[in-house]
Amino acid sequence: MNQMTPPPKVEIIPASAPFSEAQRSWLNGFFAGLLSDAPTPLSAEQGAAVMAEEDDGAPWHDQTMPIADRMKLAEGKPIRRKMMAAMAQQDCGQCGYNCNDYADALAGKAEARLNLCVPGGKETARMLKTLHEELEKAPAAGGAPAAKAVDEPAAPAAPDPATLGRSRDNPAPATFLGRRLLNGKGSEKETWHIDFDLSGCGLDYVVGDSFGIFASNDLGHVDQIIALLGASHTTEVRGKTLREVLQNEVSLAPAPDSLFELISYLTGGTTRAKARALAQGEDPDGDAATLDVMAALQKFSNVRPHPEAFVEALEPLQPRLYSISSSHNATPGKLSLTVDVVRYVVGKRKRHGLASSFLADRIQPGDQLKVYVQKAHGFALPENPETSIIMVGPGTGVAPFRAFLHDRKATRAPGKNWLFFGHQRSASDFFYADELNAMKSEGFLTRLSLAWSRDAGEKFYVQDRMREVGRDLWTWLAEGAHVYICGDAKRMAKDVERAMVDIVAQHGARSTDEAVLFVANLKKSGRFQQDVY
């Protein structure tokens, strides 16, 4: 066995530079990753300039970081930077921007919509509203040149045929082919493999891209809301019937603050106080997390907003993005998704996630949907096909890695492939088991490491499996492998990154601080990429 000697710790920032020990450590790691020759220590002035540039690197741009922590990092920064920090930090493209450009558009007053960040949800919208009010009070303090105000919005440009299906503003028609349930008997989850035909619209994609789908609200759900309003299906709103608008144009999922504000204007006493509390993000009855639009109307059943005012208080219906789980190189003209369906109960009525239930329950083979391909933001295969890859994707996080494997197989990429997959039970939740086991048997999938959290008494996750095979994982890293993580941002991604640090420290003979810097440098060099949500 070859023993790998860790490189010597490089000191680039002098001890006399005006930085804390943590800042010096971060800067030393950063420049050590950039420089291969013996570096010249920075002067204090140069070091200060580098720290000034760090703001442009957006230290809060981390999908796993809670909004409170992101806002703390942005304290004292221009409003446009605070606005960026308020966003979900996924660069997912659902808003039609990346996080930085959306923040710039808001701060420059070129974009007035504060509720476009789908992953950020209410907490992002609330923070953006607060920051926008601050911007209005002191417009010159935004840190970005304000766009010239316009009295009337310009007429939308005609869609460019060349960009058909390349953005949410110009979707293309795709044909639904079918679906199959990925879970076996006894599973507590509901996950579907979904197939689309793209040959009719001419769309293509590369692995790592996402697929945007414009879903519609369930008609039965819409009719129940109309009944709660005491309105007619044919009431005209926005030049259409109320039923059409509620089905296709507005979100009926979590009730927005603006709906509770409207309700507070239409009532009084304790009812008004409760509605105002909900509008301000409070939870007077402990049920705020369960209040979708229908539940909000049921909660305030004595209030019946006018249909026009009601519709204006709702959020626009946003497209939903999914990681693509197929390869255009392997199956031209066909695209696949791996979709979890979330079903939950509000009161006595079962609800479900809009887009996922739309795909699982309501569309039929041959139906056409409005779709678009969202280009990947950094989540892509290595340029060199000989580079080895380590993929960590529990649950539906396996989707892009199925695509990676099919693509590397179709293009005969010689690099090694290692997949970590986990879920609750091996018997019922091993997605794509036949495919993955076949790839493993033929030697294409070099290693397949599995973790099941409910098969034994003690829960066991992908990060536990990583630690168990840490020496081999370190060997792959030292040989230049790229690492990819896909899945839950709040817990899994953090736990996996912590496991990476521990493995580097233990098997790479580094201190914890040095291991943290090593992993940070993997990110900076593009060797550690995340698609988390």
Side-chain angles (χ1 to χ4, degrees), residues 63-64 88-90 92 94 119-120 210 320-323 338-340 379 392-401 485-493 530-533:
Q63 304 100 317
T64 68
Q89 303 300 299
Q90 293 182 19
C92 63
Q94 291 189 78
S210 299
R320 172 68 186 271
L321 281 176
Y322 293 94
S323 297
T338 307
V339 177
D340 263 340
F379 199 75
V392 184
T396 55
V398 75
F401 304 139
I485 299 175
C486 182
D488 171 59
K490 292 184 177 178
R491 293 190 59 183
M492 184 277 296
Q530 299 182 84
D531 180 10
V532 296
Y533 37 83

Side-chain angles (χ1 to χ4, degrees), residues 195-445:
D195 288 321
F196 291 91
D197 180 5
L198 301 184
S199 59
C201 62
L203 265 183
D204 61 3
Y205 59 94
V206 297
V207 293
D209 288 349
S210 299
F211 195 57
I213 296 175
F214 286 84
S216 61
N217 291 310
D218 178 69
L219 204 52
H221 193 179
V222 167
D223 287 345
Q224 286 182 296
I225 287 176
I226 293 174
L228 288 170
L229 291 173
S232 166
H233 294 173
T234 58
T235 300
E236 185 174 323
V237 177
R238 300 178 178 175
K240 304 173 184 176
T241 67
L242 176 61
R243 196 186 205 196
E244 290 172 328
V245 171
L246 292 180
Q247 184 178 15
N248 300 309
E249 295 186 11
V250 294
S251 172
L252 303 180
D257 295 344
S258 50
L259 177 58
F260 295 118
E261 287 179 358
L262 173 63
I263 290 172
S264 74
Y265 299 150
L266 302 176
T267 186
T270 57
T271 303
R272 182 183 187 189
K274 190 170 292 186
R276 292 187 70 179
L278 286 163
Q280 293 167 5
E282 299 171 16
D283 192 2
D285 295 331
D287 61 352
T290 70
L291 294 177
D292 61 5
V293 170
M294 181 186 290
L297 290 176
Q298 291 168 333
K299 183 179 181 70
F300 296 96
S301 56
N302 60 326
V303 180
R304 289 190 171 184
H306 187 279
E308 258 187 314
F310 172 71
V311 165
E312 291 307 314
L314 301 183
E315 305 283 7
L317 187 59
Q318 303 275 17
R320 172 68 186 271
L321 281 176
Y322 293 94
S323 297
I324 296 173
S325 60
S326 57
S327 162
H328 183 71
N329 287 322
T331 53
K334 184 178 178 181
L335 182 145
S336 302
L337 305 176
T338 307
V339 177
D340 263 340
V341 177
V342 180
R343 303 185 190 273
Y344 57 98
V345 175
V346 178
K348 295 182 179 180
R349 176 179 171 79
K350 181 176 283 189
R351 304 276 208 274
H352 39 69
L354 166 65
S356 57
S357 66
F358 176 76
L359 294 173
D361 300 334
R362 290 192 279 127
I363 57 172
Q364 300 301 321
D367 287 353
Q368 286 200 332
L369 288 76
K370 293 190 298 180
V371 304
Y372 66 100
V373 170
Q374 177 68 45
K375 301 307 292 181
H377 287 282
F379 199 75
L381 283 168
E383 292 183 7
N384 184 352
E386 296 182 357
T387 301
S388 299
I389 60 174
I390 300 167
M391 302 162 283
V392 184
T396 55
V398 75
F401 304 139
R402 178 181 185 264
F404 280 14
L405 290 169
H406 279 277
D407 197 78
R408 294 207 359 147
K409 189 174 182 182
T411 58
R412 301 181 183 274
K416 295 187 296 182
N417 308 293
W418 188 349
L419 174 64
F420 288 84
F421 174 76
H423 212 313
Q424 292 187 342
R425 297 175 176 84
S426 58
S428 57
D429 300 312
F430 189 176
F431 302 159
Y432 305 112
D434 291 344
E435 286 182 21
L436 295 175
N437 283 327
M439 290 180 181
K440 178 70 171 62
S441 296
E442 68 191 43
F444 171 72
L445 180 53

Side-chain angles (χ1 to χ4, degrees), residues 7-8 10 12 30-40:
V10 179
I12 301 174
F30 176 75
F31 284 101
L34 290 178
L35 303 173
S36 56
D37 299 324
T40 302

Side-chain angles (χ1 to χ4, degrees), residues 89-140:
Q89 303 300 299
Q90 293 182 19
D91 275 345
C92 63
Q94 291 189 78
C95 63
Y97 303 86
N98 60 36
C99 296
N100 183 62
D101 291 344
Y102 184 30
D104 283 350
L106 290 173
K109 301 184 179 179
E111 173 63 77
R113 296 169 293 178
L114 304 175
N115 51 15
L116 295 183
C117 184
V118 178
K122 281 188 174 182
E123 64 178 13
T124 291
R126 286 172 181 149
M127 184 59 68
L128 289 178
K129 181 179 178 182
T130 299
L131 293 170
H132 190 265
E133 290 171 354
E134 184 180 339
L135 181 68
E136 288 299 305
K137 293 175 184 175

Side-chain angles (χ1 to χ4, degrees), residues 446-466:
T446 315
R447 297 191 65 162
L448 176 60
S449 297
L450 304 171
W452 310 108
S453 63
R454 304 291 193 277
D455 272 358
E458 187 174 350
K459 293 182 179 180
F460 193 79
Y461 297 105
V462 286
Q463 61 268 23
D464 301 313
R465 184 68 72 199
M466 291 171 67

